[in-house]
Amino acid sequence: MPRPRDDDFATRVVAWFAGAARPLPWRAADLSPWAVLVSEFMLQQTQAARVVPFWERWMARWPTPAALASEPAAEALRAWDRLGYPRRALWLHAAATELVERHGGEVPRGLDALLALKGVGPYTARAVAAFAFGDRHPVVDTNTRRVIARAIDGVAVAAPPSAARDLPAMERLLPADREAAHAFNAGAMELGATVCTARTPRCDECPVAALCAWRAAGYPPHEGPRRRTQARFEGSDRQLRGRVMRELRAAHTPVPRGELAALEPDETRLDRVLASLVADGLAVGAVDGYALPHN
DNA sequence: AAAGCGGGGTC
DNA sequence: GACCCAGCTTT
């Protein structure tokens, strides 16, 4: 049973969300579960505002899993364009194929069936279950994790993601009512994304400022080990992978290795990157060069 | 538990 | 510049 204070917390977030929610297109009423699934793939590690145009084009072109599954993976990779982490496009295409072959072309409703899809983890499975089907599950993303860390735990920085800890923590706050739970899941994420932001939280606009443990404690700074610093992107293999993929997307015939060599003078590095792309299924190598995968 | 994976926005 | 983003799979 939620404690009274938790009920108050959820009630305030839900009320705030009703008036403050951004009009993101995947929040429209009566969307298909497929539309929600596509949005969740695109939103992984990608800001919502940047996803909007990609999602609009994708849904216009492939309104059903069957529509996507009927085209080669190369087309999914081209439509993904520069959204980042192109493996997501590959996995979404694979998921669409699996939906057609094993689920009658529909997104399954159960958590276990969702988790079995490639590219669907603890967050995405619950987000689809909650937002597409209205089922009551705790949904915890990086925004929610930060809101809970600050408002409930009173610390500046959330612990690294851990389903074993995050889901029970959200479950304790989640209203019993289905619709209220849906609104709280979405509202907590929105609060973290627009008010309780990582850098400069806007506590003067926060609906739960009066309940916030971090605020009550005087905004204590983060203690303990810093988050692992992300490897430098400039000059990285990741950057080169992106550049190679860009060439492959633009070409409709295999790109000779000699042409790709213009991207990178160090042939050892180029070959390492090409091998990694092939290993990931993002590219296929043939005698006449490299191309996007057909299947 | 940690590494690796894009690319752009933000401060 | 460094940090962050509706995470995931692999090792």
Side-chain angles (χ1 to χ4, degrees):
Chain A
M1 278 293 290
R3 294 163 289 170
R5 185 171 169 283
D6 295 344
D7 275 344
D8 191 18
F9 184 82
T11 299
R12 292 191 192 210
V13 171
V14 168
W16 168 83
F17 182 63
R22 292 169 293 176
L24 299 171
W26 46 85
R27 287 179 178 156
D30 301 322
L31 279 186
S32 70
W34 168 245
V36 175
L37 181 67
V38 171
S39 77
E40 295 301 345
F41 266 83
M42 292 183 169
L43 287 162
Q44 291 170 8
Q45 289 286 283
T46 308
Q47 293 94 327
R50 203 155 75 87
V51 165
V52 171
F54 290 86
W55 183 86
E56 299 274 15
R57 287 192 293 269
W58 193 284
M59 293 312 301
R61 180 169 176 183
W62 296 306
T64 65
L68 177 59
S70 73
E71 293 204 46
E75 287 309 301
L77 287 167
R78 289 197 175 93
W80 203 262
D81 195 40
R82 299 176 65 171
L83 193 55
Y85 292 142
R87 290 190 290 200
R88 294 182 291 169
L90 214 53
W91 290 337
L92 184 53
H93 182 266
T97 302
E98 194 170 343
L99 296 181
V100 169
E101 292 178 349
R102 299 187 47 206
H103 294 100
E106 303 287 340
V107 175
R109 180 163 184 166
L111 211 52
D112 290 341
L114 288 165
L115 284 166
L117 299 171
K118 197 74 166 176
V120 174
Y123 164 75
T124 302
R126 287 171 181 77
V128 171
F131 301 142
F133 293 107
D135 292 333
R136 186 183 173 285
H137 294 285
V139 180
V140 181
D141 76 329
T142 188
N143 294 305
T144 301
R145 199 159 35 244
R146 183 175 52 251
V147 168
I148 291 175
R150 288 176 175 167
I152 306 299
D153 300 333
V155 297
V157 174
S162 160
R165 286 168 22 103
D166 296 342
L167 297 180
M170 188 61 173
E171 171 64 39
R172 282 192 289 275
L173 299 170
L174 202 62
D177 176 74
R178 283 168 58 97
E179 291 186 21
H182 180 141
F184 181 64
N185 276 318
M189 292 169 58
E190 187 78 346
L191 187 62
T194 65
V195 175
C196 192
T197 53
R199 289 291 189 83
T200 312
R202 312 161 66 127
C203 302
D204 55 324
E205 301 178 21
C206 180
V208 292
L211 307 178
C212 180
W214 188 48
R215 180 180 177 87
Y219 305 111
H222 176 63
E223 294 181 12
R226 290 298 308 172
R227 179 191 187 133
R228 183 174 64 87
T229 72
Q230 185 172 296
R232 176 184 193 80
F233 180 66
E234 192 65 31
S236 67
D237 280 6
R238 291 167 73 152
Q239 184 183 45
L240 181 56
R241 281 170 58 103
R243 287 179 175 166
V244 170
M245 288 301 293
R246 195 172 179 175
E247 294 297 318
L248 300 189
R249 285 195 305 268
H252 289 265
T253 58
V255 181
R257 183 186 170 289
E259 205 167 305
L260 295 169
L263 297 172
E264 172 54 49
D266 182 345
E267 306 229 338
T268 300
R269 201 160 87 82
L270 176 63
D271 285 333
R272 180 174 72 236
V273 159
L274 287 171
S276 76
L277 290 174
V278 170
D280 288 345
L282 289 166
V284 294
V287 290
D288 49 352
Y290 292 86
L292 297 178
H294 188 269
N295 288 325

